[in-house]
Amino acid sequence: MQSNSQKLGTEAIIPLLMRLSVPSIIAMAIQALYNVVDSIYVGRISTDALSALSLAFPIQIILIGIGVGTGVGASSLISRRLGENNNHAAVNAAEHSIMLSLFYGVLVAILGFLFADQILQLFTSEANLIRMGSEYIKIILIGSTAMFFPMISNNILRGEGNTFTPMVAMLIGSIINIILDPFLIFGIWIFPEMGVAGAAIATVAARIISGSFLIYILLFSKKNELQISLKDFSFDLQIIKDIYVVGFPAMVMQFLASFMLGGMNRILAGFGSTAIAAAGIYFRLQSFVFMPVFGLNQGYMPIMGYNYGHNNPERMKKTFKSTLLVAVAFTTTGFIIFQTVPELLIKMFNSDPQLLQIGTNALKKISIAFPVIGPAIIISTTFQALGNGFPSLVFSFLRQIIVLLPVMYLLGEFFGLEYLWFAFPISEAASILPASIWLRLKFKRIFKKMEETEELIG
């Protein structure tokens, strides 16, 4: 019987990619559904409540960045070590990433308890938005361990080729969150009406339950390829370095996204809180388009990382091409939907006429970029799978900071809100070409080295 990791190097690529990706795609779709449903409920409170969540979103992106960076770094390292048949090193990487999740959880909880109000004041001076945003984000920050542990644990399992269990964990968390939201937000049954604070409590409670499930799977199940025992944990700085060679650039990429969202909200504030709410709706809806691609990545990365560690260039090429085509199909479908029914999408959140007009315009213009975003995501993930996260960071910085924010500001300043949204497709177009060239050169060097190694062995 082959282990999960050995199948990464032998099973037919398309069936393997689908088997590994479909559970993650389903889980990501449910996660996207939770994000949208959560915002729909909050949107029923008021447009200001929706704007407050949009202002809190950049802070959540920072938390996600910490979890994603550590998790991606761990997943990449684990899959490469398994490809090298070094199970002990893979287990060590998993144990270190779990301890990192606990460290970050405690640190963020302290910062959130002390400074939530001051953080919100960075984005707006409107007292009502600060009050509601602070109510929400303080609870999220204090309960951040319940986010870090599941995110990082899911990536540990994906690194060994197990994408089914992360799907179950994400389904548990998202479904419980969706169920709890209306009870805690609107005060249904025995629960008090808590507004945006209720949305935050529902989120943290759902994460605690899904995290408890993962604790059992990781530490007590005997079916995992990596048998983790924290009793024998011994700190090794080199493992931390190996995780963050890939993980730190991925983390900084998320931080850049947070900075971009914060900067965008500052620019949009000049056009009123409704413009901020419209952007918040877009970012909730776009998760339906991009989450499946990120789910695809969860199957793609271990295959790519394993075959890179296993010196199998032909399998790497086929995996890349197959994944690229699937990603393009996902994002092009999203483009078609956003172009044809934008009004219907906005109305799910709120029927305010001004929000409908601004939001519809935003969705149609921003989604022009969707067909090229699929390949951009796969290119970024490929660098990470190869143990080199720096190029992904460079292109993320180029797209979000060097191009997007300045172009957005200039378009808004000279042409108004209606044209400001074109900054998104402009920034994507500016980054996709150099990213493609860099990856092509990277592949050329890697495959040449593999061929030379094969000749020496032969």
Side-chain angles (χ1 to χ4, degrees):
M1 292 288 292
Q2 288 185 316
S3 67
N4 280 335
S5 62
Q6 289 173 329
K7 291 177 182 178
L8 299 174
T10 58
E11 194 172 319
I13 289 171
I14 293 294
L16 176 63
L17 181 64
M18 290 298 102
R19 181 172 63 80
L20 293 179
S21 299
V22 167
S24 293
I25 291 170
I26 293 171
M28 293 287 187
I30 296 295
Q31 181 74 13
L33 179 63
Y34 144 67
N35 287 331
V36 169
V37 171
D38 194 53
S39 297
I40 289 173
Y41 284 135
V42 171
R44 294 293 182 264
I45 300 172
S46 68
T47 302
D48 273 0
L50 200 56
S51 299
L53 251 64
S54 298
L55 290 174
F57 195 47
I59 305 166
Q60 291 179 276
I61 292 292
I62 291 176
L63 303 188
I64 292 170
I66 294 170
V68 166
T70 306
V72 165
S75 181
S76 176
L77 181 60
I78 288 167
S79 63
R80 282 181 282 123
R81 293 295 176 262
L82 289 172
E84 297 163 1
N85 296 316
N86 192 342
N87 188 276
H88 177 71
V91 170
N92 270 342
E95 292 173 346
H96 278 71
S97 57
I98 289 174
M99 298 306 293
L100 285 168
S101 73
L102 301 178
F103 167 76
Y104 287 129
V106 172
L107 178 63
V108 170
I110 294 171
L111 294 174
F113 180 77
L114 295 175
F115 303 113
D117 290 350
Q118 291 87 336
I119 293 171
L120 260 296
Q121 289 170 9
L122 296 173
F123 303 109
T124 183
S125 58
E126 292 189 31
N128 193 41
L129 296 185
I130 292 172
R131 178 185 61 80
M132 287 192 290
S134 180
E135 285 179 12
Y136 180 83
I137 203 63
K138 180 177 284 189
I139 295 168
I140 295 294
L141 293 174
I142 291 173
S144 60
T145 300
M147 183 187 74
F148 291 133
F149 182 82
M151 286 186 70
I152 293 170
S153 298
N154 282 335
N155 276 288
I156 291 171
L157 293 167
R158 289 168 184 144
E160 68 174 55
N162 177 359
T163 57
F164 180 78
T165 302
M167 177 194 73
V168 173
M170 293 182 72
L171 287 175
I172 290 171
S174 298
I175 292 171
I176 290 174
N177 203 330
I178 291 170
I179 293 171
L180 286 178
D181 262 341
F183 288 93
L184 294 173
I185 293 172
F186 304 115
I188 298 173
W189 194 36
I190 61 173
F191 299 96
E193 184 178 347
M194 303 177 71
V196 293
I201 292 172
T203 296
V204 172
R207 288 171 176 171
I208 289 172
I209 295 170
S210 65
S212 300
F213 167 73
L214 286 167
I215 287 174
Y216 170 77
I217 295 296
L218 277 177
L219 302 183
F220 301 106
S221 174
K222 300 301 180 184
K223 296 181 180 180
N224 299 322
E225 185 165 349
L226 302 180
Q227 292 297 309
I228 299 170
S229 175
L230 296 178
K231 295 178 182 178
D232 303 323
F233 176 76
S234 178
F235 180 77
D236 185 340
L237 183 60
Q238 185 57 49
I239 294 176
I240 301 294
K241 290 179 180 178
D242 290 341
I243 288 173
Y244 285 111
V245 165
V246 172
F248 184 72
M251 188 183 294
V252 174
M253 283 166 61
Q254 293 291 325
F255 293 167
L256 291 176
S258 176
F259 181 83
M260 179 273 290
L261 288 169
M264 180 191 71
N265 285 334
R266 294 285 294 186
I267 294 169
L268 292 175
F271 298 94
S273 63
T274 305
I276 297 175
I281 289 173
Y282 161 72
F283 280 102
R284 296 305 194 277
L285 289 172
Q286 58 107 39
S287 63
F288 270 118
V289 179
F290 303 138
M291 282 294 191
V293 182
F294 293 135
L296 186 69
N297 280 347
Q298 307 308 325
Y300 171 64
M301 180 178 281
I303 301 173
M304 203 68 171
Y306 181 93
N307 287 285
Y308 175 51
H310 215 62
N311 266 30
N312 194 337
E314 289 306 313
R315 192 167 175 82
M316 289 172 65
K317 294 174 187 176
K318 291 178 182 177
T319 301
F320 175 74
K321 291 176 182 177
S322 300
T323 308
L324 198 67
L325 289 174
V326 177
V328 170
F330 279 138
T331 54
T332 301
T333 301
F335 163 76
I336 294 169
I337 294 171
F338 274 53
Q339 290 294 319
T340 53
V341 290
E343 299 93 346
L344 184 62
L345 296 175
I346 298 295
K347 283 181 179 178
M348 292 192 302
F349 296 86
N350 195 295
S351 297
D352 176 77
Q354 186 182 19
L355 179 63
L356 186 62
Q357 187 269 325
I358 294 174
T360 298
N361 183 49
L363 294 190
K364 293 188 76 170
K365 288 183 169 64
I366 296 174
S367 62
I368 293 171
F370 282 6
V372 300
I373 292 178
I377 294 172
I378 299 304
I379 289 170
S380 177
T381 304
T382 303
F383 282 115
Q384 294 167 350
L386 300 177
N388 184 3
F390 179 72
S392 301
L393 173 59
V394 170
F395 295 117
S396 182
F397 184 77
L398 170 65
R399 184 178 72 255
Q400 297 182 91
I401 309 302
I402 301 299
V403 180
L404 179 61
L405 287 181
V407 172
M408 179 178 286
Y409 173 78
L410 292 172
L411 288 176
E413 188 74 14
F414 291 103
F415 301 101
L417 182 62
E418 183 178 354
Y419 291 91
L420 172 150
W421 310 109
F422 280 122
F424 286 88
I426 290 171
S427 65
E428 294 296 337
S431 63
I432 186 67
L433 182 60
S436 302
I437 293 172
W438 193 334
L439 182 61
R440 184 179 179 85
L441 294 174
K442 176 79 173 177
F443 271 154
K444 189 174 181 180
R445 288 194 299 269
I446 287 174
F447 296 152
K448 183 179 180 181
K449 186 176 179 180
M450 286 181 172
E451 290 170 1
E452 291 172 351
T453 302
E454 194 68 28
E455 289 174 2
L456 288 173
I457 294 173

